[in-house]
Amino acid sequence: MAYRIAIVGLGKIATDQHLPCIAKNRKFKLVATVSRNATHPDVSHFTSLAELIQSKTPVDAVALCTPPSVRLQMALQALDAGFHVLIEKPPTPTIGELFAMQAYAKKKKRVLYATWHSRMNEAVEEAKRRLKGKHVTLLKITWREDVRHWHPGQEWIWEPGGFGVFDPGINALSILTHIMPREIFVDQATIEVPANKATPIAAQIKFKHGDGQAADLSADFDWRQTGTQTWQIEMTTSDGMKLNLLKGGTVLEINGKVVLEAPMEEYELIYKHFAKLLKAGKSDVDAAPLQLVCDCFMLGKPTLVEKFE
Ligand code: NAP
């Protein structure tokens, strides 16, 4: 029998990815949507999660596609109602909220899947295999995109808890924390915040190895790039391997040669993995990418830059 799923927050990512991927996965059946504004023509629609719960519509799981700042309360409500929960990235605005959500899911014996869509690429898995046991001496993340194109009209990204440029930047960090052969840490960061906004439009980060071994490890996030978009992670290891993950983690180059180019199926793979987790009754929550973002805010030097309209 298919898992009955409801989508909460019918915005860009729910419409672009969750709805079509649920529709083509036989292990799920969309039974309801929740949004204060948008509706869905084919299933029951509610304007709040509380309304969905009160309706007694049979639901096995919810996908929370709202901004991170409102997810904890929604997740607790959903878990109280006995639903399993899938959440978009970034999971929560703080680490404390993520740990609270994780603990509550455990207490309620429900599955919590905190997704990291950029990890769901075969090229990312291959990069992880290639880096195993090696020592990274150079890391250069370049994650530059056009905020007007990817977040049209979205105000929440500029509000506290909206992450600003760390909303896409955390995608790079989710790949990084997955493929790095050992943990790295934030050393220093510069965070550029427009004079009329609460969240950063750009950030430059320096990382370090925990044991102090010399390495040049950096990330450059920028939301002001128009034209060609850049989502790239370059690495060099102490034995001379040059690894380059391009196009958001879909293309892997080793020593200048493309060794793997996988189709973009991130959300198809998310729902495949969610079905496995539900069957096994297991949660999947990794706080590592969020921890790095929190550490950037903790150690970062804020700089005011020109207003962004
Ligand atoms: P969006 O287009 O603004 O959609 C967010 C949805 O959440 C809206 O449907 C809105 O619905 C609902 N919502 C907003 N504020 C709310 C509140 N205070 N209470 C309840 N519902 C609220 O944003 P999005 O781009 O889909 O992003 C949502 C999440 O997906 C983010 O965490 C983002 O990082 C992630 N994501 C986005 C993309 C992308 O390409 N945009 C890609 C991957 C992941 P109503 O106002 O109708 O209730």
Side-chain angles (χ1 to χ4, degrees), residues 9-14 16 35-38 65-68 70-71 74 88-90 117 150-151 154 156 167 267:
L10 264 193
K12 187 170 188 316
I13 198 61
D16 288 358
S35 164
R36 298 164 305 179
N37 301 299
C65 302
T66 53
V70 293
R71 286 213 195 104
M74 287 180 169
E88 256 300 342
K89 51 58 60 172
H117 66 86
W150 297 103
H151 295 275
Q154 294 178 3
W156 62 265
D167 178 88
Y267 282 82

Side-chain angles (χ1 to χ4, degrees), residues 287-301:
L290 181 62
Q291 179 73 66
L292 286 180
V293 171
C294 292
D295 294 351
C296 286
F297 280 99
M298 184 67 96
L299 296 172
K301 177 175 184 275

Side-chain angles (χ1 to χ4, degrees), residues 222-239:
D222 206 309
W223 242 351
R224 296 165 296 200
Q225 177 149 311
T226 53
T228 308
Q229 309 285 279
T230 314
W231 298 293
Q232 184 169 335
I233 300 177
E234 298 165 75
M235 287 180 172
T236 304
T237 57
S238 56
D239 59 0

